[in-house]
């Protein structure tokens, strides 16, 4: 009978990561990549070839998130994470709403645009 311990089995864990970037409105680019366990967000960006496809992006100035939560470049990824690269807003939402209200007028904008016959004001 042998007293030797069996050799441990080494299992290589790979993370399935999805990276999403929208360079223009209504246009989305998606990458599916596999990385080693313990990989960071920065390593995922390097692996997918984002900077070769979009050379105007600056690595240090990106707004990044994982599943809608802002994270930094050194964030350690988990399996099935979705990395999102955010574009800067073109128009301030408050300004856009104010301009839309000015164009449409008070009667055709807001919650109380349609009124039931015989209803009280504001209901």
């Amino acid at each position: 009978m042998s007293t030797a311990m069996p050799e441990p089995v080494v299992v290589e864990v790979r993370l399935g990561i999805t990276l999403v970037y929208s360079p223009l409105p209504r246009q989305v680019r998606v990458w599916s990549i596999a990385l080693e366990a313990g990989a960071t967000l920065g390593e995922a960006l390097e692996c997918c070839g984002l900077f070769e496809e979009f050379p105007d992006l600056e690595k240090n100035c990106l707004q990044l998130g994982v599943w809608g939560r802002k994270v930094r470049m050194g964030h350690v990824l988990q399996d099935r994470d979705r990395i999102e690269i955010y574009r800067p807003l073109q128009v301030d939402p408050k300004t856009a709403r104010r301009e839309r209200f000015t164009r449409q007028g008070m009667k055709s904008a807001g919650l109380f645009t349609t009124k039931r016959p015989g209803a009280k004001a504001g209901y």
Side-chain angles (χ1 to χ4, degrees):
M1 195 172 205
S2 172
T3 59
M5 298 284 287
E7 285 192 31
V9 177
V10 178
V11 177
E12 186 177 315
V13 178
R14 304 282 289 174
L15 305 176
I17 305 295
T18 303
L19 192 134
V20 180
Y21 175 58
S22 175
L24 298 169
R26 295 179 179 83
Q27 182 182 17
V28 179
R29 178 72 171 90
V30 179
W31 292 265
S32 293
I33 54 176
L35 298 171
E36 301 289 323
T40 64
L41 200 140
E43 293 169 358
L45 293 177
E46 295 288 332
C47 178
C48 73
L50 173 78
F51 300 111
E52 288 79 30
E53 192 169 335
F54 300 100
D56 54 328
L57 289 178
E58 295 179 29
K59 186 175 182 178
N60 300 333
C61 300
L62 292 177
Q63 294 288 325
L64 303 166
V66 174
W67 289 112
R69 303 188 89 182
K70 283 190 176 182
V71 292
R72 296 182 187 220
M73 198 67 75
H75 176 79
V76 178
L77 298 169
Q78 303 295 320
D79 191 29
R80 298 184 182 168
D81 272 351
R82 174 188 165 104
I83 301 170
E84 301 158 349
I85 302 169
Y86 306 119
R87 288 185 280 127
L89 293 175
Q90 299 295 326
V91 179
D92 179 36
K94 286 183 180 181
T95 305
R97 182 175 182 267
R98 194 175 300 121
E99 289 174 1
R100 194 169 49 250
F101 184 80
T102 303
R103 277 195 320 268
Q104 293 175 352
M106 186 179 209
K107 297 288 184 189
S108 63
L111 294 173
F112 309 110
T113 57
T114 57
K115 196 170 148 184
R116 290 183 323 208
K120 296 180 184 178
Y123 288 93

